[in-house]
Amino acid sequence: MSADWVEREHKYYQSTFKRNLVMTRGEGVRVWDADGKVYLDLVAGIATNVLGHAHPAVVKAICDQAQQLVHVSNLYINQRQVELAELLYNVSGGMRAFFSNSGAEANEGAIKLARKYGRVNRGGAYGIISMERSFHGRTLATTAATGQKKYQDTWLPLPDGFRQVPFNDLDALKAATTEKTAGVLIEAVQGEGGIYPASSAYMQGLRSWCDEQNLILICDEVQAGMGRTGKFFSWEHMGIRPDIVTMAKGLAGGVPIGAMLAAPRADIFEPGDHGTTFGGNPIACAAGVATMRTIHDKDLLNHVTQMGAYLDSKLRDLATKYPIMSGMRGIGLMRAFDLAEPRAQDVMDRALERGLLITNAGPSTIRFVPPLIITNAEIDEAVEKLDASLAAM
Ligand SMILES: Cc1ncc(COP(=O)(O)O)c(C=O)c1O
């Protein structure tokens, strides 16, 4: 029974999350709670379960690897790590990987690498410029890089060397650049901030500015990567190539992992500069290899483009019925709309009652980051439940 678990959770687990739903099992785009109720899951671990729940390729990879080698230190080479690095090298056009366990850690690695670049190649520069409304993680440095005051205020003073500028504003970025700046950190499609894509013109201008000024351009693909936008990396839509890319969330189909990829220009870590105990663990990398191969073999990037357009058209239809909905936006299966009032929690609660999991991005924005395998029929079902939820408000 859920109620017992809720009580035990409140007793034994710190109050970091406000939650009352106990999940026990998942399959495809569906999850079941401890009382046996089934939900259509358009949250997908917040853009993490890219192949849905219990995908056979991921399950098999985990089980096979667990029987061979669960963990071995990064003092030694593990084959799955090399295989995953090779796949990422190929999709990124020649970037070498470093694996961690989370998105925040991947960004920490990227910040360190940019700082090393600044120290060696830009007269000791160490500063990172990031964007307002961005989200880069919960460690102290990534909190300092995150452009939302609500995540920062309690933890002041934050590490030095970070500042934020308005998104999609090249003049502001240029004005903020000083001789101390080492690099720029950006989500080409902002996720937690509310699903806002950067314009191609801005990203191209940013790329040129970084080249001119000898700055490192870091793209945080933790949420928008792994095919979520219909291309493997979201920056591919904008015709640029970053120097460093960070990934996590969907990379191993739900198994904890992070990756920091570096193009040759930025690939300057030497032995001893950086490290990790668990990062690139054989199980995580086996799951990552299976996830990446499935995305490729099942042509999921095309599928995402089609399903994204379908979800968008269904949501636009719904918006004609509910004037409270506006600001339909997104790319691929990364979509959002705004509510005229701060009632996102209300919408989510009503959807939950009807067996639909959706998430928000702030108090007035509903966000959709479903598994990339979602079908037309599942989108229809989700939109019907959303329709009923909005009607009940
Ligand atoms: C764009 C982006 N970067 C970084 C992170 C942090 O990732 P993690 O929670 O794995 O540390 C997130 C998490 O939501 C994210 O969306």
Side-chain angles (χ1 to χ4, degrees):
M1 279 292 291
S2 284
D4 305 338
W5 287 101
V6 171
E7 200 184 312
R8 285 170 69 187
E9 194 262 3
H10 291 5
K11 184 164 176 197
Y12 299 119
Y13 200 91
Q14 293 185 24
S15 306
T16 39
F17 308 104
K18 211 170 139 211
R19 54 193 182 177
N20 287 302
L21 202 57
V22 186
M23 295 305 192
T24 55
R25 183 166 79 81
E27 196 182 317
V29 185
R30 283 168 216 277
V31 278
W32 282 259
D33 72 15
D35 299 322
K37 179 170 171 178
V38 60
Y39 303 84
L40 203 55
D41 182 8
L42 270 69
V43 178
I46 316 187
T48 297
N49 298 78
V50 287
L51 301 182
H53 297 275
H55 191 284
V58 177
V59 172
K60 183 172 187 317
I62 294 170
C63 293
D64 288 352
Q65 187 57 43
Q67 287 178 333
Q68 279 184 39
L69 187 67
V70 168
H71 181 76
V72 69
S73 167
N74 274 316
L75 292 169
Y76 315 106
I77 292 172
N78 90 66
Q79 293 159 314
R80 301 298 88 77
Q81 194 181 89
V82 177
E83 285 168 356
L84 184 58
E86 184 178 6
L87 290 171
L88 289 167
Y89 185 91
N90 293 337
V91 290
S92 66
M95 298 187 187
R96 293 200 304 171
F98 173 87
F99 294 115
S100 57
N101 308 286
S102 67
E105 258 185 274
N107 283 331
E108 288 275 346
I111 292 163
K112 283 176 73 175
L113 188 51
R115 280 196 171 188
K116 177 160 186 189
Y117 186 89
R119 184 165 304 279
V120 176
N121 297 314
R122 207 174 180 271
Y126 57 87
I128 300 290
I129 301 176
S130 56
M131 302 297 138
E132 289 175 5
R133 220 175 40 202
S134 63
F135 185 84
H136 298 294
R138 301 286 199 150
T139 61
L140 284 173
T142 57
T143 295
T146 288
Q148 300 188 54
K149 270 178 72 61
K150 68 178 178 192
Y151 293 115
Q152 296 183 328
D153 286 350
T154 313
W155 321 113
L156 301 174
L158 288 166
D160 200 10
F162 295 88
R163 65 173 295 181
Q164 281 86 51
V165 294
F167 189 57
N168 268 332
D169 182 343
L170 199 56
D171 291 339
L173 184 107
K174 288 182 177 177
T177 305
T178 70
E179 77 280 2
K180 296 280 177 235
T181 309
V184 178
L185 170 61
I186 185 167
E187 298 161 85
V189 184
Q190 291 188 325
E192 300 298 308
I195 316 293
Y196 292 103
S199 74
S200 295
Y202 174 74
M203 289 301 280
Q204 287 168 18
L206 176 55
R207 177 68 271 180
S208 302
W209 181 247
C210 288
D211 290 340
E212 253 170 61
Q213 298 290 318
N214 195 18
L215 303 171
I216 291 293
L217 176 54
I218 308 165
C219 277
D220 179 340
E221 289 282 314
V222 168
Q223 190 160 152
M226 281 309 276
R228 176 145 303 277
T229 65
K231 296 205 184 278
F232 192 81
F233 297 109
S234 70
W235 43 263
E236 293 175 60
H237 292 280
M238 292 130 193
I240 62 116
R241 289 174 54 71
D243 302 303
I244 299 178
V245 176
T246 56
M247 305 180 69
K249 286 192 178 284
L251 177 54
V255 178
I257 194 166
M260 190 271 287
L261 313 180
R265 171 177 178 236
D267 188 348
I268 58 168
F269 272 159
E270 294 161 298
D273 279 343
H274 197 45
T276 168
T277 294
F278 282 124
N281 162 287
I283 300 255
C285 289
V289 168
T291 305
M292 287 199 57
R293 288 199 177 130
T294 304
I295 288 175
H296 177 265
D297 295 349
K298 302 283 179 199
D299 197 17
L300 283 181
L301 299 188
N302 274 326
H303 181 73
V304 166
T305 303
Q306 285 165 27
M307 291 305 108
Y310 187 66
L311 177 58
D312 184 51
S313 74
K314 297 290 286 186
L315 290 174
R316 283 176 197 278
D317 286 349
L318 202 62
T320 61
K321 201 166 152 188
Y322 297 103
I324 193 177
M325 294 171 69
S326 67
M328 217 62 66
R329 58 186 176 272
I331 318 186
L333 285 173
M334 194 173 182
R335 306 223 149 251
F337 66 81
D338 296 322
L339 296 163
E341 297 157 44
R343 294 184 68 188
Q345 190 60 53
D346 242 14
V347 177
M348 291 190 296
D349 289 346
R350 281 159 209 272
L352 191 76
E353 283 165 20
R354 289 162 180 80
L356 172 67
L357 302 182
I358 45 176
T359 189
N360 65 327
S364 309
T365 301
I366 297 291
R367 172 170 44 149
F368 301 86
V369 281
L372 309 186
I373 55 160
I374 196 167
T375 61
N376 293 89
E378 286 158 343
I379 290 174
D380 287 345
E381 192 184 332
V383 173
E384 274 164 33
K385 289 179 191 294
L386 183 60
D387 188 347
S389 309
L390 290 164
M393 290 206 5

